[in-house]
Amino acid sequence: MPAIELAPAQTSGTTAAHASAALAEADRLMTVCNSCRYCEGLCAVFPAMEMRRSFADGDLNYLANLCHSCGACYSDCQFSPPHAFAVNVPRVLAEVRNESYAQYVWPRALAPLFARNGMAIAIAAAVSVAAFLFGFMALNDRAVMFGVQAGEGAFYRLMPHNVMALLFGAAFLYAILAIGLGLRAFRQDIGAPSGMMRDPGDNWQAAQDTASLRYLDGGGAGCMNEDRQPEKDRRKLYHHLTFYGFLLCFSSTSTATLYHYVLAREAPYPWWDLPVVLGTLGGIGLLIGPLGLMRQKAVRDPVMREPSGRSMEAAFTLMLFGLGLTGLVLLPLRATPAMGTLLAIHLGFVFGFFITMPYGKFVHGIYRYAALVRYAQERKALHGTVP
Amino acid sequence: MSAVDVLVIGGGNAALCAAIAASREGARVLVLEASNAFWRGGNTRHTRNMRCAHDQATEILTGPYFEDEFFEDLLRVTNGQTDETLARHMIHESKEMLTWIAEQGVRWQPSLGGTLSLGRTNAFFLGGGRAMLNALYATAERLGVEIRYEAEVTDIEIDDGMFLSATIGSTAERIEARSLVAAAGGFESNIEWLKRYWGDAADNFIIRGTSNNKGTILKLLLDNGVQEVGDPTQCHAVAIDARAPKYDGGIITRLDCVVFGIVVNKNAQRFYDEGEDIWPKRYAIWGRLVAAQPDQIAYIVFDASSLTLFMPSLYPPIQAPTIGELAQKLGLDPAALQGTVSAFNEAVRPGTFDYKILDDCRTDGLTPPKSHWARRIETGPFYAYPVRPGITFTYLGTRVNKDARMVMADARPAANMFAAGEIMAGNVLGEGYAAGIGMTIGAVFGRIAGREAARNARN
């Protein structure tokens, strides 16, 4: 027979050169999937795939950042292992996605932080908390640090408001800058420079898809867990609690800043006032959400999990939980001698969170959103709408 | 008294529809699936849609598909080789399937990208056939149906049209039941059996689905006096990539590019009109056409202008800068292929190419002709896909009546035996195929068989 014999199980991708083994495997899988397409109704990944006939690294990074690894395509796939074609899209795209975070990071020198991310984030958080504790103790009189503070400006007797605003403002701005530069690298890699990403319609569509986690439910069936009962999956719910909990906490802080500078009203605020209500609700979300997400992770079918990403996911989830917990504890104990210590710990967590935002799982939401804008744009170009 | 009312042999669409329907009738149901949990469902795991009649457009179907039109389509593809009473009954019952299947937890979606021509007639499973199976299994388990995997039945005890028991080969366990639903597929993965009709050519057939459809149950039933139906050489067969694995390559090795090029055999000669009709109406004849060629191999040859006009396939095409070099890579005689391509190119008449309609691009004075979409093969690089017959399922089966009850050789109805799916597809499909009709046969007759078997068990 001629030179066309090929071992049956041996399939190849569309592109010879890839930056990593995970990208090469993703190319192979997308070549299988693109000739099947049974999963196109499950999420955005497969319709985006169908708009391509070959898969360069930028295409695969785009597809990987559209994927939530919900697992529906794995359990629906007639070619998943033990079939010789060994199709496992959730796991391989998770690997590509995790690699992409390190690839786009600014500055590039900090890319290794993603390699042992759990350790990196834990050290950053611990150092930050320690610095606040020691700083508070070094700079404050014992009577202030361990005394009872009450009334307007109680917090600022431990740390002057302007110092607090300056420090956290700087950390936050740094995070925005670093994330923005990472986002720019992502956009360029997936072939969607910023000019193409400004369409209000595309952004509105992406915002809705992001806010509703539209594609995190396997096309409506739910995520596939070890129990094979996707209808019992609560990952979407816990993600909503986490995400909106975080947003509520962020708006609590923003409201308090406005109170301070615009209304000249200083914290602490009474329990019924907006910053406290927003912060309390958000804090509750940040307690239940991350715990629930960790529980969902634990019952995931291990075959779909990407082991190298575990420490990063755990670090981010625990960080959010820490934010919520330390903030909530502060509320009932703010008029006790423990307030100084608890405030230092809470601020330490917040500061640690801010400076590690560009170097951990936080960026998944940013790239997901950008990928969804790109997706909305592609769908519009092809069909006129996003069905 | 046996513990089981209805024994279902098989684990695909037909078997699960039967099990669910029987269970909903109050029967105690046992399903014996030959494979393990991953490979369960036989050929159903490779399917993606079901052809159902409907009187108006739905959320997922773009327009009405009346019963008469469905029947006319069936008559056309089978050349009239169908049991009209059964076919019309199935088509009528198919209307309810759109809701009944959804009630069993299966999700529908509009037609898939690349199959828009089926958007009006065929309802697609969200996530494909394995997703459908997962939903059916979950529903069956919730209803209390007992499912045993790796429980291949190797013997059946039948006394004068009355099912008594089945024996599981691995454990020699004998299982009695009040009635039987046989839904264990055709015999396409039994190459030795295929050879009885096809000779050594069957060695070159690729089986698109499960390796478990060895026809064991079919043979046991026929040997025990059940009436045979269908031509043993008839099957659903398409031309698929010759590099596909022997079993379970599924949908992804199919090639939709015949209409864009020419198809030659191992002697580099054309043998059929590649542009006879639009592809969805002709794809199902190419398996038999290739099976009739020497060594059961053929090559679809086209040029750079067609490369992106069809859906991508699993393996890349063989590519070369000239026709001669392409022939060498394929192991064909370069002069012969060059001659065939040149003769074709000279016969191509000018026209306006449009692959969505029966266009006016055709050959003149060529045998066989290419009636539509004939364009000169002249722009390098040149491409080829090697193709072999890909068997989806066979049509030889057990005769049944409208209740899916088996009919014995002497035309009496069987006492307590019912059949559904590929094992009785030959009642409806004498020859030919129309996309999605295998699943209609499985689901409609599965549901009927399950219901009737449960009622039979009660009496």
Side-chain angles (χ1 to χ4, degrees):
Chain A
M1 278 302 286
I4 55 166
E5 289 296 306
L6 196 63
Q10 182 189 336
T11 71
S12 56
T14 58
T15 306
H18 288 289
S20 74
L23 284 160
E25 175 67 356
D27 183 12
R28 186 185 75 83
L29 295 191
M30 288 299 103
T31 305
V32 174
C33 295
N34 207 19
S35 50
C36 172
R37 303 189 173 185
Y38 287 12
C39 290
E40 69 171 20
L42 298 180
C43 66
V45 173
F46 299 100
M49 168 198 76
E50 287 179 24
M51 292 182 235
R52 293 158 170 78
R53 291 183 82 93
S54 64
F55 303 98
D57 287 355
D59 298 307
L60 295 166
N61 286 327
Y62 163 55
L63 298 176
N65 278 284
L66 282 174
C67 172
H68 289 275
S69 291
C70 75
C73 63
Y74 181 85
S75 55
D76 291 353
C77 181
Q78 63 272 40
F79 303 119
S80 55
H83 193 289
F85 292 158
V87 174
N88 189 343
V89 173
R91 176 165 175 166
V92 173
L93 289 193
E95 204 175 343
V96 169
R97 191 165 59 245
N98 291 344
E99 286 179 3
S100 78
Y101 302 154
Q103 183 190 334
Y104 305 126
V105 73
W106 183 90
R108 277 305 296 269
L110 294 183
L113 288 182
F114 281 93
R116 298 186 70 192
N117 196 252
M119 183 70 82
I121 302 287
I123 290 173
V127 168
S128 178
V129 169
F132 273 86
L133 276 173
F134 285 116
F136 271 34
M137 285 193 279
L139 298 173
N140 288 310
D141 196 83
R142 278 185 67 85
V144 178
M145 180 70 183
F146 300 111
V148 174
Q149 307 292 330
E152 278 212 349
F155 296 145
Y156 310 127
R157 272 166 239 150
L158 289 145
M159 186 177 192
H161 185 271
N162 285 343
V163 176
M164 206 188 279
L166 192 69
L167 192 63
F168 283 87
F172 187 64
L173 284 176
Y174 173 80
I176 298 285
L177 173 78
I179 291 169
L181 290 170
L183 178 60
R184 194 174 71 162
F186 175 65
R187 283 168 166 177
Q188 281 170 347
D189 189 40
I190 68 169
S194 60
M196 286 174 70
M197 304 287 281
R198 288 200 193 115
D199 181 88
D202 296 341
N203 279 280
W204 173 234
Q205 182 65 52
Q208 292 174 63
D209 296 346
T210 305
S212 63
L213 295 171
R214 178 174 172 183
Y215 299 111
L216 181 68
D217 62 2
C223 293
M224 191 54 87
N225 295 321
E226 271 179 324
D227 62 6
R228 304 265 145 208
Q229 293 180 297
E231 67 279 5
K232 289 188 179 167
D233 180 78
R234 296 289 174 271
R235 191 169 160 210
K236 196 171 188 170
L237 169 72
Y238 291 129
H239 192 295
H240 277 321
L241 285 169
T242 308
F243 178 64
Y244 289 103
F246 177 76
L247 283 190
L248 285 170
C249 289
F250 191 73
S251 51
S252 160
T253 308
S254 307
T255 315
T257 307
L258 288 176
Y259 274 26
H260 188 90
Y261 287 113
V262 179
L263 303 178
R265 288 184 52 201
E266 291 200 351
Y269 304 106
W271 68 266
W272 45 263
D273 211 345
L274 200 52
V276 182
V277 172
L278 291 172
T280 305
L281 289 175
I284 292 168
L286 282 183
L287 284 190
I288 304 170
L291 285 177
L293 284 173
M294 282 189 283
R295 156 121 192 87
Q296 291 295 323
K297 286 272 181 213
V299 298
R300 291 282 282 163
D301 189 340
V303 77
M304 285 184 269
R305 294 199 64 178
E306 209 288 288
S308 69
R310 282 188 187 186
S311 87
M312 177 175 73
E313 288 161 7
F316 181 57
T317 318
L318 285 171
M319 196 74 159
L320 288 167
F321 180 77
L323 284 182
L325 182 68
T326 58
L328 275 184
V329 168
L330 194 52
L331 182 64
L333 300 177
R334 65 187 179 179
T336 73
M339 187 270 270
T341 308
L342 292 173
L343 182 65
I345 293 172
H346 182 58
L347 293 179
F349 260 101
V350 176
F351 190 81
F353 181 79
F354 277 4
I355 57 167
T356 57
M357 271 161 63
Y359 309 111
K361 175 117 199 220
F362 180 84
V363 296
H364 83 281
I366 307 294
Y367 298 144
R368 168 81 28 86
Y369 176 79
L372 284 167
V373 177
R374 175 79 169 127
Y375 179 66
Q377 184 186 74
E378 288 188 332
R379 294 290 280 187
K380 201 168 61 184
L382 193 68
H383 301 290
T385 57
V386 182
Chain B
M1 289 300 263
S2 62
V4 177
D5 293 327
V6 176
L7 176 69
V8 179
I9 303 179
N13 165 47
L16 269 287
C17 286
I20 289 169
S23 182
R24 289 196 188 282
E25 284 286 322
R28 290 161 298 175
V29 184
L30 171 64
V31 172
L32 298 180
E33 162 60 298
S35 83
N36 63 19
F38 173 78
W39 292 103
R40 72 185 181 189
N43 287 337
T44 301
R45 54 192 287 112
H46 292 292
T47 66
R48 58 180 170 186
N49 63 71
M50 187 184 289
R51 185 176 287 255
C52 295
H54 47 279
D55 291 335
Q56 62 261 318
T58 72
E59 262 178 51
I60 52 137
L61 295 160
T62 57
Y65 185 47
F66 298 111
E67 290 181 44
D68 283 344
E69 186 186 353
F70 191 156
F71 184 67
E72 281 156 25
D73 284 344
L74 182 64
L75 274 186
R76 200 188 60 247
V77 298
T78 59
N79 278 322
Q81 300 296 309
T82 186
D83 178 328
E84 176 163 357
T85 312
L86 271 184
R88 284 197 181 275
H89 184 55
M90 178 193 82
I91 289 168
H92 181 69
E93 292 286 309
S94 77
K95 292 166 93 170
E96 266 186 42
M97 274 300 139
L98 288 170
T99 46
W100 191 80
I101 285 288
E103 282 163 14
Q104 313 317 320
V106 177
R107 291 159 191 269
W108 298 114
Q109 68 154 82
S111 73
L112 292 166
T115 57
L116 296 177
S117 58
L118 297 172
R120 181 173 65 87
T121 56
N122 289 41
F124 281 67
F125 312 124
L126 180 69
R130 192 171 167 221
M132 185 231 198
L133 276 173
N134 291 343
L136 293 183
Y137 271 89
T139 299
E141 280 165 7
R142 201 166 49 243
L143 290 170
V145 171
E146 187 190 344
I147 293 157
R148 286 207 220 161
Y149 296 108
E150 300 179 60
E152 185 179 5
V153 171
T154 52
D155 199 14
I156 299 179
E157 194 185 346
I158 296 170
D159 180 27
D160 190 27
M162 171 102 176
F163 169 80
L164 300 174
S165 73
T167 305
I168 298 174
S170 56
T171 58
E173 185 184 352
R174 193 169 153 275
I175 292 172
E176 295 179 356
R178 289 159 159 262
S179 46
L180 168 75
V181 176
F187 66 96
E188 66 277 358
S189 31
N190 188 336
I191 304 294
E192 292 308 312
W193 193 345
L194 288 173
K195 278 185 173 178
R196 276 165 52 187
Y197 318 112
W198 293 93
D200 287 341
D203 277 330
N204 288 323
F205 292 177
I206 297 170
I207 312 308
R208 302 179 72 205
T210 177
S211 61
N212 291 326
N213 282 3
K214 295 190 160 51
T216 312
I217 305 302
L218 173 62
K219 185 167 186 305
L220 287 168
L221 292 169
L222 298 181
D223 288 350
N224 277 283
V226 176
Q227 191 178 138
E228 183 178 302
V229 69
D231 174 345
T233 73
Q234 289 295 340
C235 53
H236 173 23
V238 300
I240 61 168
D241 199 307
R243 298 164 290 186
K246 188 71 176 176
Y247 296 102
D248 278 303
I251 191 72
I252 62 180
T253 58
R254 60 85 180 73
L255 292 161
D256 294 336
C257 54
V258 165
V259 295
F260 299 112
I262 59 170
V263 183
V264 301
N265 61 19
K266 67 176 272 195
N267 301 319
Q269 302 303 311
R270 291 176 61 247
F271 51 89
Y272 199 82
D273 182 350
E274 300 90 349
E276 189 178 47
D277 204 342
I278 60 163
W279 184 239
K281 292 188 178 175
R282 278 296 171 271
Y283 78 102
I285 68 171
W286 280 87
R288 298 183 74 79
L289 288 172
V290 176
Q293 295 305 308
D295 290 348
Q296 295 71 51
I297 186 131
Y299 305 88
I300 308 169
V301 177
F302 56 96
D303 73 4
S305 65
S306 303
L307 186 62
T308 58
L309 294 181
F310 53 92
M311 246 186 79
S313 176
L314 179 61
Y315 301 104
I318 319 289
Q319 176 184 341
T322 65
I323 290 291
E325 287 164 277
L326 186 66
Q328 274 171 352
K329 282 191 173 178
L330 299 174
L332 303 181
D333 176 0
L337 185 61
Q338 190 64 64
T340 297
V341 171
S342 298
F344 170 76
N345 284 349
E346 278 161 32
V348 170
R349 296 298 109 213
T352 309
F353 177 74
D354 185 346
Y355 63 85
K356 295 188 192 77
I357 58 165
L358 292 171
D359 72 2
D360 59 352
C361 294
R362 59 179 180 82
T363 58
D364 199 8
L366 190 69
T367 309
K370 185 174 179 187
S371 309
H372 304 283
W373 315 293
R375 294 188 300 167
R376 297 164 69 92
I377 298 171
E378 56 186 4
T379 312
F382 298 94
Y383 299 94
Y385 286 104
V387 291
R388 286 202 185 278
I391 314 298
T392 311
F393 66 94
T394 49
Y395 293 171
L396 177 74
T398 57
R399 187 174 291 286
V400 298
N401 65 19
K402 279 171 71 176
D403 290 339
R405 186 184 292 266
M406 291 184 218
V407 177
M408 305 307 289
D410 58 11
R412 282 182 306 154
N416 60 351
M417 301 196 293
F418 302 81
E422 292 170 359
I423 201 168
M424 49 64 70
N427 288 273
V428 176
L429 288 170
E431 63 177 74
Y433 194 69
I437 212 163
M439 292 298 279
T440 316
I441 294 170
V444 168
F445 286 107
R447 182 190 180 198
I448 295 171
R451 189 180 61 212
E452 296 303 320
R455 288 176 183 169
N456 202 90
R458 262 207 307 271
N459 295 332

